[in-house]
Amino acid sequence: MRIAFLSSSGELGGAERSLLDVMASLRAAEPSWSLHLICPAEGPLVREANSLGVAACVLAFPEPLARLGDAGLGGPAGKKVGRVAFLLTALAACGTLGGYVWKLRALLNTLAPDVVHANGFKMQVLAAVAGLRSKRVVWHLHDYVSTRPVMARLLSYFARQCSAVVANSRSVAADAVRVIGSKVPMFVVHNATDLCRFTPCGATLNLDLMSGLPPAEVGIVRVGLVATMGRWKGQQVFLDALSRLPRSLPVRGYIVGGPIYVTNGGQYTVEELRGMATSLGVNDRVGFTGFVEDSAAAMRSLDVVVHASTSPEPFGLVIIEAMACGRAVVASRAGGAAEVFHPGVDSLAHIPGDAAALAECIQSLVTDAGLRTRLGREARAAVERQFDRSRLSAELVPIYQAVCAVHAR
Ligand code: GLC
């Protein structure tokens, strides 16, 4: 079997890390299959794919197409992104679309894959516009389609061009059915992770040095939010929660991550977050590391990992990664993330956006080392049972085979 993976980004956000897990899982289970990756930019995804033995090539997005994104247009964050700016970028992108689609179609004709696995809305639409002769296209959804006003219309329009949809949670699948209907078979494949890389013991990082902070005193409990800089990832809620903790509590917060996407708007800058920390009076209690490539090492350097997304999280890969590292996790319970963990057993939970409740969870973990140890141990055991990435190939291979059987050449 030959599979061509298409990625909408060359950076390593959750959707791309999940794609790497899919490719690694297939490599191990089906070593004779030939896997190709088409990426819109050079970067860490190409490097990591190559090191897995996947033939990765770059078909660079023209600049306006790379910048085009409707993530900031829907919902409360929408105010941050001007509709006018979006329309101008869209107009410029349209001018470059024909040429890009022509090259994509030519490349796919040369690779002659049995299945095209499109990761990310942009590549899902581009694969459809390319009008591939064989309809063996699988869309892998990582986000809620309904929150993306433009993509929702396009995906609904082009749904007949794809033969199966894979969603990363039941919640994302239900949302997709509401938007695109049930004209395409829909499968839920929960993400999984590399349990040999995300381990309780292993390399750590000096988060204080990376954040430009003096070394923390002995006994300080390190609590960190590890996320991309999407405005809905809850950095402001985390800072607010830190500001509600008693000054005497031995805790230091960290915001681990940087703005990695090149699409318009929708992301915080580190400067903006520093400004927030200053106005909340917590700038001496929180460090900003910037983007960290080795997220496993970053998580191992923390005692508590916080997930604070303010909107329902489609899945929350970072939650299972932190659990695999045996860390005590506090997560915001909504959307697909609610399918992932069991509050009180392997984690603690708060309602999205509730800074007071998040502060309470953090305080109980900072003051109770036994609770941290117990939750961390249960968390590791839970991911070993449910989220080992060998499951990914076991679930995806039958989907690819079914797609090939239905659309036999
Ligand atoms: C996207 C989603 C996130 C998910 C990841 C991998 O980044 O927002 O919730 O964990 O994709 O599926």
Side-chain angles (χ1 to χ4, degrees), residues 13-19 119 140-144 167-169 172 189-191 228 232-233 261 307 309 312-320 336-337:
E16 296 74 34
R17 290 207 321 280
S18 159
L19 182 62
N119 210 56
H140 194 167
L141 300 183
H142 292 276
D143 287 294
Y144 293 107
N168 59 358
S169 64
V172 165
V189 177
H190 279 144
N191 287 315
T228 55
W232 60 282
K233 290 291 182 183
Y261 293 118
H307 164 270
S309 295
E313 178 75 50
F315 178 85
L317 195 54
V318 73
I319 299 172
I320 60 168

